[in-house]
Structure formats: C-alpha cells, structure tokens
Amino acid sequence: VLRGAQRALRHQPHLGGRRPAGVHDHTGGIDASRPQRVQKALASRILAVQEIGPGEQVGYGGTFVASRPMRIGVVACGYADGYPRHAPSGTPIRVAGVRTATVGRVSMDMLTCDLSGIPEAGVGSEVVLWGDGLPADEVAAAAGTISYELFCALARRVPVVEAGSGA
C-alpha cells in the first residue's frame, strides 16, 4: 500500500519524473565538504528569568529537579507552536548564541531552559530552537523524531520570515 507522499507522486506525468519541492532533502543531507546555509530555523525570545535552588522543581509534574543553584529562562514557544511536546530535558537549544538545553516538560505556550552558564542572557535574549548553529536533525533526534516532522508541525500562529526579508 502506498501512502502519503508516495501515493501523491505515483502517477504524475506532468512532473517529468521530478518530485515537487518540499518533499525531497527534508533531512538536510549535509555534505561536510560544502558550506551550508540554514534553510529553516525556529527562534523565539526569553520571557522571564528565575533563580532556583537545589531541590526545586521545574515544569509540569516537577519532572526536572535542580541538583544545584540554577538560572532558568522561560522561552516563548511551546507545543501549541509546534515544538515537540515530548522533547525531554536536555534537548539542545541556543540562547544569546550559546548552546544550552531545555529543562522540564514543554508546556502549551512555553518551555524552560538552563541559563546558568550564560550570564549575558536575560529577558528578550534570542533563543534558537533549531537553525543557526543548531541542526534540526539534532533537535529531532533528542526528541525521538525526524526534522521533517518538526517542520511540518509548526503552527499557523508561528510567524514565518523569509531569509533576506530584513524582518
């Protein structure tokens, strides 16, 4: 049984044997010998910062428990935006250009991250959830999925900015 993209592509002579844009190369297929340009990125900002102590819990169900004093950033992105709800603590992100990780469960409109090693990060700091310096394939692997699912899951409420638009 052919399903999804396979079925759509099976009998389309007008394509001349080519696949329509968006169906191919969704995993990146990166050739390390050629410089690559980010094709898709998801970014947001820090909404709030809180200091927590050892033993304090973060997120729904308190699944993350701090083992040391930490700075926690609240990021304006959650599963309603299309970020994977099942992404575990430790999923990589970048804040203010520095690699760090999520902590706790992803909620509907927010997720939290460790800012302990990024003293320059604060309210308004840019957060790259995948893209510039953080391959979507790596984020997807941490969340137990594939990058194409990340791209397809983005909600309509997430603004799309085309590269070079200056926005």
Side-chain angles (χ1 to χ4, degrees), residues 80-153:
D81 299 300
Y83 194 81
R85 187 184 65 78
H86 52 277
S89 285
T91 299
I93 64 171
R94 289 171 47 97
V95 177
V98 179
R99 189 180 179 94
T100 188
T102 62
V103 295
R105 287 192 176 140
V106 175
S107 64
M108 182 180 284
D109 298 308
M110 295 174 275
L111 59 86
T112 50
C113 64
D114 183 5
L115 300 179
S116 301
I118 315 171
E120 65 276 18
V123 173
S125 291
E126 183 180 47
V127 178
V128 174
L129 298 154
W130 65 72
D132 187 21
L134 183 60
D137 287 339
E138 185 177 349
V139 175
T145 188
I146 61 172
S147 59
Y148 195 59
E149 183 178 14
L150 297 181
F151 304 148
C152 291

Side-chain angles (χ1 to χ4, degrees), residues 3 5-6 24 30 34 46 48 54 60 69 76 85 130 134 137 153 161:
R3 296 183 182 203
Q6 291 175 330
H24 57 88
I30 294 176
R34 295 183 312 161
I46 297 288
Y60 290 138
R85 187 184 65 78
W130 65 72
L134 183 60
D137 287 339
V161 179

